[in-house]
Amino acid sequence: MLTYFLLVLAPFQILSSSIPATCQTLPPYPGRDGEWRLLHESIGVSAMHMQLLHNDKIVIFDRTDFGPSNLSLPENKCRHDPHDDVLKIDCTAHSVLYDVWTNTFRPLMIQTDTWCSSGAVLPNGTLVQTGGFNDGDHAVRIFTPCNGGDFCDWIEFDTYLSERRWYSTNQILPDGRIIILGGRRQFNYEFFPKMQDSLTASPSSGSIWLDFLRETTDEDENNLYPFIHLLPDGNLFIFANNRSISLDYRKNTVVKRFPIMPVDAHRNYPSSGSSVLLPLDENKDIVAEILICGGAPQGSYEQAKAGNFVRASSSCGRIKPMEGNPSWVMEEMPIARAMGDMLLLPTGDVIIVNGVEQGTAGWEFGRSPVTRPVIYRPYGRPDWRFSVMSSASRPRLYHSSAILIPDGRILAGGSNPHVWYNFSNVEYPTDLSLEAFAPPYLSVEFEKIRPQITASPETLRHKQAFSISFFVPQYLTADVLSLSIIAPSFTTHSFSMNQRMVVLKLVGLLPLSKDTYILTALGPSTVDIAPPGYYLLFLVHAGIPSVGSWVLIQ
C-alpha cells in the first residue's frame, strides 16, 4: 500500500508545468459510451500515417503518386519529380502539421513518395520516417519539431536505405537506434543510423538476413508490416502472418520460436489485424504480454479480388513471450474486424477503432465498415472485457489511422480505398476529415474525481525518484492512484509502431490540502523497459486520467 511520507520528495525546483493552462479543461462530454466530434471536414490530405510529437503537433501524411491533393503548398512552392508516374510538377501538399490545442494545420512539403512507409521518433524528439514507393523506397525523411512550428519541414535523403522498404516496420531500440525490418520481398532488416563495423551486416548492403520473414510469406504475403515489440529482456518479439519469434538483433539470433497462433486467420497486411504490448507494471514482477486482434481467414485477399468479401476474424490472442513455456490464450471480440487500429489508453485499457467486418486491406477490398470502437479491459472479468462504444458518423477503411493525443482523446483520420482521390459515385468516398473520439473517462460525470497534474519534471532518469503535484476536487484513496508513461506511436496500416506503456512504481504520497497532493515515484527501471525519449506522463485516479504531461527519459 502507498504510504504517506515526506523525506524522498524530489526537489521542487525541478518541477515545472508542461501543460498549457488553457488545455487543462476539456469541453464536456456526456455519457458512458464515448462521443465522436468532427474537427475538420477536410485537412486536404488523407491521413494514411500519423505521429504525435512532443510539442503537441501531429505530422500527418499520405502518398504522393496519385495526383494533386486538396491542399495547396504555400508561397507558390511546387514539387518537381521526374520519377512521378502521375504528376511531374505538383503544387499541392501531401503532408500537414496539425496542432492539437488550436485545432489548426498547415501544409508540409514532401518530395519523394511515402506510400506505405514507416517511422519512429529518436530520443531527441526527431521523427525519422523511412521508405515508401518508387523514388521514396530507399529514402529517409527527417522532421524535427521547432518552437512555433512555422519553420519546420521535411528534410529528405532519398538514397540512404540499403534496401527497398515498402510496408516495413520500425522500432526504436534502447541504444537510440531504429531497426527497420521487412517490407515487400525484403527478408532482412537494417538500422538507422547505419551500423558501423558490424560482422553480421553485409559490407555491400548493410542489411541483415532474417529467414523468418521468408518463412512467413504465403500466396497473399500476409507478413507485411510485421508486428514488432521491444521486450523487457532486450529482445524483439516479431509476429508475421500467424507465427512469431523472439530475436536477439544484436547477434542476429532467433532466441525462441513461439507456437503458431490458433484459429484460421492471418494477422498482418493485407489481412491486417493489429497488435499491442500490454502495459508493463513496475509495481509488481514485470510481465510482458502481447495482444493481437482481428485479421482475416486464409485466402480472404484472393477472394476479395474476385468480389467475395469474407467475414474478418473476431479472434484475439494473448501470449507471454518471456515465460518458460508460452502459449496463446484466445478470446472473441464482439465485432469481427480487419484494418482496426489498437491503441493503449492512459487507463491501461485498449481501444480498437476503424476497419471493416468483411474483406481485407487493398484497393476496394473492404466492405461492411465497423464504425463502433471497442474498449478491451485486459484484466477485467472474461465476461466484461469488451465494451462497444458509440458509432462514428463516417467509415474509415483502408489507409485510415488513429493515435492517442495528450488529453486522452483518440484522433482518427483518413480512409481512401481507391487508387486516386475519389469523392463521388463510389460506395466509400475518399475521406480527408479529422475527428476525435472521447472515451467514457472524459464524461462530465467524472469531473470531481478527474486529477490535474499541476507540476511535473521535464526529465526523468531510470531508477531515480521524482515528484509531481496534482489537484483533484474529490480525492478518494491512494489505492486507486497510478502514474504511467506512454510512448506515442507512429500509426499506419493498422499498427501503432513503438507504442508502449509503463506503469511507474509509486513510493510516496504527501497531502498538502484536502484536494492537492505530491506524489513520488521512481523512473523506469531499465532502458529495455523504457528506451530514452519523450513520453506522455498520465496520472490516473479511480480510472479517470489527467491530461498527459510530456517528460523526457534520459
Side-chain angles (χ1 to χ4, degrees):
M1 180 176 292
L2 191 61
T3 57
Y4 290 87
F5 73 108
L6 176 62
L7 295 179
V8 302
L9 293 177
F12 275 99
Q13 58 265 30
I14 71 166
L15 294 176
S16 65
S17 177
S18 62
I19 306 171
T22 57
C23 305
Q24 292 280 7
T25 303
L26 294 172
Y29 291 91
R32 294 195 176 189
D33 294 326
E35 181 180 309
W36 289 93
R37 290 187 182 177
L38 183 67
L39 302 175
H40 288 279
E41 186 64 43
S42 173
I43 59 170
V45 303
S46 188
M48 185 189 298
H49 316 77
M50 288 203 282
Q51 172 72 60
L52 172 67
L53 303 174
H54 68 274
N55 61 352
D56 295 325
K57 306 291 197 301
I58 298 171
V59 176
I60 301 173
F61 57 98
D62 196 1
R63 43 192 270 252
T64 63
D65 62 349
F66 60 85
S69 74
N70 283 29
L71 180 67
S72 296
L73 286 166
E75 301 173 355
N76 298 315
K77 289 182 181 178
C78 294
R79 185 175 67 94
H80 297 263
D81 189 350
H83 304 288
D84 196 299
D85 295 331
V86 180
L87 202 58
K88 309 295 184 187
I89 301 176
D90 183 359
C91 301
T92 63
H94 299 277
S95 176
V96 302
L97 188 66
Y98 173 77
D99 188 310
V100 170
W101 300 121
T102 64
N103 191 30
T104 58
F105 61 92
R106 68 174 179 87
L108 299 174
M109 174 97 172
I110 278 185
Q111 177 66 28
T112 55
D113 195 357
T114 51
W115 182 16
C116 301
S117 51
S118 52
V121 175
L122 293 173
N124 68 358
T126 294
L127 171 60
V128 175
Q129 203 278 315
T130 56
F133 184 67
N134 197 3
D135 62 348
D137 60 8
H138 282 71
V140 167
R141 306 167 194 88
I142 304 294
F143 187 91
T144 301
C146 58
N147 293 331
D150 292 335
F151 306 104
C152 312
D153 214 328
W154 290 102
I155 299 172
E156 302 192 36
F157 306 90
D158 57 4
T159 60
Y160 186 91
L161 296 175
S162 300
E163 306 290 348
R164 181 186 194 227
R165 298 296 171 191
W166 192 29
Y167 299 94
S168 61
T169 301
N170 293 13
Q171 172 65 52
I172 191 72
L173 299 173
D175 61 8
R177 291 182 299 160
I178 298 167
I179 188 170
I180 308 159
L181 187 140
R184 177 154 282 166
R185 291 181 286 279
Q186 294 297 332
F187 311 132
N188 53 65
Y189 59 91
E190 60 184 288
F191 297 89
F192 178 91
K194 289 183 177 179
M195 296 176 64
Q196 299 294 322
D197 302 320
S198 170
L199 299 177
T200 58
S202 165
S204 60
S205 70
S207 64
I208 303 170
W209 180 263
L210 183 60
D211 203 52
F212 170 74
L213 295 175
R214 181 192 60 79
E215 295 169 359
T216 51
T217 303
D218 63 23
E219 66 273 14
D220 295 333
E221 295 182 297
N222 279 324
N223 69 342
L224 301 181
Y225 281 122
F227 304 144
I228 305 178
H229 301 289
L230 174 66
L231 298 175
D233 62 6
N235 295 323
L236 297 176
F237 177 89
I238 303 175
F239 185 100
N241 202 325
N242 59 1
R243 281 171 276 175
S244 50
I245 60 171
S246 176
L247 175 72
D248 183 342
Y249 61 89
R250 296 153 298 224
K251 300 178 181 177
N252 190 31
T253 300
V254 175
V255 177
K256 188 181 293 185
R257 291 180 179 268
F258 302 105
I260 293 176
M261 192 173 181
V263 181
D264 180 24
H266 302 272
R267 311 291 175 169
N268 297 85
Y269 183 93
S271 293
S272 297
S274 193
S275 176
V276 295
L277 170 66
L278 293 176
L280 303 172
D281 193 343
E282 297 263 27
N283 293 280
K284 55 186 74 170
D285 291 339
I286 292 289
V287 175
E289 189 168 13
I290 310 296
L291 171 69
I292 297 174
C293 292
Q298 175 73 36
S300 294
Y301 185 70
E302 290 298 322
Q303 289 282 337
K305 284 183 179 180
N308 179 27
F309 303 101
V310 177
R311 183 178 184 267
S313 175
S314 59
S315 65
C316 293
R318 292 168 61 160
I319 193 169
K320 299 176 181 177
M322 290 171 55
E323 286 192 343
N325 188 28
S327 60
W328 290 97
V329 177
M330 305 303 294
E331 298 181 79
E332 284 291 311
M333 295 186 289
I335 307 172
R337 195 181 307 240
M339 292 187 284
D341 290 293
M342 293 174 62
L343 298 165
L344 293 167
L345 297 175
T347 55
D349 297 335
V350 179
I351 189 168
I352 313 173
V353 300
N354 301 339
V356 298
E357 199 168 354
Q358 293 179 301
T360 68
W363 304 128
E364 320 290 346
F365 291 164
R367 295 294 186 274
S368 302
V370 183
T371 57
R372 296 174 71 94
V374 169
I375 290 181
Y376 175 75
R377 304 174 187 86
Y379 309 109
R381 300 190 316 266
D383 61 345
W384 190 71
R385 286 189 178 167
F386 291 98
S387 293
V388 179
M389 298 288 106
S390 61
S391 180
S393 62
R394 57 195 65 206
R396 298 204 183 272
L397 297 85
Y398 188 42
H399 287 162
S400 61
S401 60
I403 58 171
L404 173 73
I405 58 178
D407 58 22
R409 292 177 297 164
I410 300 300
L411 193 73
S415 185
N416 184 27
H418 317 293
V419 177
W420 321 111
Y421 277 15
N422 197 336
F423 302 101
S424 60
N425 300 317
V426 290
E427 189 171 2
Y428 307 113
T430 301
D431 196 302
L432 308 183
S433 70
L434 205 61
E435 61 184 335
F437 176 73
Y441 53 62
L442 290 175
S443 173
V444 67
E445 68 179 287
F446 300 122
E447 285 306 300
K448 288 186 177 181
I449 59 171
R450 189 180 314 284
Q452 176 181 317
I453 297 175
T454 54
S456 61
E458 294 181 353
T459 61
L460 301 183
R461 297 190 180 277
H462 292 89
K463 298 183 180 180
Q464 290 192 6
F466 70 97
S467 296
I468 68 165
S469 63
F470 70 93
F471 164 84
V472 61
Q474 186 176 314
Y475 177 75
L476 299 179
T477 170
D479 294 337
V480 295
L481 279 179
S482 65
L483 191 64
S484 301
I485 52 172
I486 296 181
S489 64
F490 180 94
T491 298
T492 189
H493 289 76
S494 304
F495 184 50
S496 295
M497 304 176 196
N498 306 293
Q499 178 180 218
R500 71 195 297 110
M501 176 176 178
V502 180
V503 184
L504 300 176
K505 184 176 180 60
L506 302 182
V507 295
L509 181 70
L510 175 68
L512 298 181
S513 67
K514 67 175 183 179
D515 55 16
T516 304
Y517 298 81
I518 295 175
L519 181 67
T520 300
L522 296 180
S525 55
T526 71
V527 293
D528 296 323
I529 287 175
Y534 283 94
Y535 292 74
L536 281 168
L537 180 74
F538 287 98
L539 177 65
V540 178
H541 175 245
I544 308 302
S546 68
V547 173
S549 175
W550 287 104
V551 293
L552 175 61
I553 296 183
Q554 296 179 324

